[in-house]
Amino acid sequence: MKYIPKEIILKNNKICNIKHASSTDAKEFLDFFIQISTETENTLRYPEEINITVEKEALILKSMEQSSTQYMLSAHVDNKLVGNAHCYGIGDRIKIKHRAGLGISILKDYWNMGIGTILMNEIIEIMSKQGYEQLELDVMGNNERAIALYKKFGFVECGRVPHGIKFIDGSYTDLVTMIKVLK
């Protein structure tokens, strides 16, 4: 499915451009992932764990561009990558091909502008059109903002792994699994 880029007005009246990520965005995405993992502990990686090359990231993004089961959307404000959403089919076997996973990240300076809501709307629309029946995600139990966003879109908690996340300081939080039935 080809994603048609969109311009959306944010809460602060700035324009947010949503598009499918391109292999030409590889360096920008690597810088984005490093910044995200530096700004918040709500990602699964610390900055020092991001050791992929620009060339490898370009191959990953190119694969997503050509895929019918994976999408990497990017959100740009003032030509800067400020958010992304990745959605993907869980598998191609008959028993699980109705399921899709997703993840969303937004730079801290761009929180509370509506970008998460925009990306979630786009992901739900894409995956519904692709015939997926259920969206799934994992979120850290202490990430109340993300959990509130997911609940706003009808996701419900369906499981919890106590101490599923261990931080570098030795503290823990649960890993929460949430789903949204599309059909």
Side-chain angles (χ1 to χ4, degrees):
M1 180 175 131
K2 181 80 174 155
Y3 182 79
I4 299 167
K6 295 182 179 177
E7 279 191 359
I8 298 170
I9 306 283
L10 298 176
K11 292 177 184 178
N12 65 358
N13 291 322
K14 286 203 173 239
I15 294 174
C16 181
N17 293 294
I18 308 293
K19 66 178 187 129
H20 197 290
S22 166
S23 57
T24 59
D25 301 327
K27 171 78 168 96
E28 190 175 22
F29 264 92
L30 278 180
D31 293 343
F32 172 82
F33 292 137
I34 290 168
Q35 184 174 348
I36 285 285
S37 63
T38 302
E39 292 180 341
T40 177
E41 290 205 332
N42 294 331
T43 65
L44 289 179
R45 296 181 284 197
Y46 285 104
E48 60 271 18
E49 295 177 303
I50 301 172
N51 53 13
I52 189 171
T53 65
V54 172
E55 294 77 21
K56 178 69 175 168
E57 182 67 18
L59 289 173
I60 292 168
L61 291 171
K62 182 143 189 89
S63 170
M64 287 184 202
E65 286 177 89
Q66 298 169 344
S67 175
S68 63
T69 60
Q70 282 197 76
Y71 297 88
M72 177 74 84
L73 298 183
S74 58
H76 297 260
V77 175
D78 297 328
N79 293 316
K80 177 181 178 158
L81 176 62
V82 300
N84 85 306
H86 178 213
C87 55
Y88 50 91
I90 299 288
D92 61 358
R93 293 197 170 97
I94 293 168
K95 293 180 181 180
I96 60 170
K97 68 181 182 178
H98 66 288
R99 298 167 49 206
L102 72 96
I104 292 179
S105 298
I106 299 164
L107 294 179
K108 195 170 189 174
D109 285 347
Y110 294 84
W111 290 359
N112 297 316
M113 293 183 189
I115 297 169
T117 297
I118 292 164
L119 289 171
M120 187 61 75
N121 276 323
E122 296 302 304
I123 292 297
I124 290 170
E125 182 178 337
I126 287 169
M127 298 317 263
S128 293
K129 285 181 179 176
Q130 290 298 97
Y132 289 97
E133 298 175 25
Q134 181 168 294
L135 292 178
E136 306 173 10
L137 59 85
D138 289 328
V139 60
M140 293 182 192
N142 63 348
N143 190 348
E144 294 172 8
R145 296 168 43 77
I147 291 170
L149 173 69
Y150 303 140
K151 285 182 176 179
K152 175 174 126 178
F153 280 92
F155 283 80
V156 295
E157 182 177 327
C158 66
R160 190 174 278 260
V161 178
H163 290 185
I165 299 293
K166 184 177 181 181
F167 297 105
I168 205 163
D169 68 1
S171 64
Y172 298 89
T173 193
D174 294 352
L175 184 65
V176 178
T177 298
M178 300 181 80
I179 65 164
K180 174 180 176 63
V181 176
L182 298 174
K183 285 191 174 185

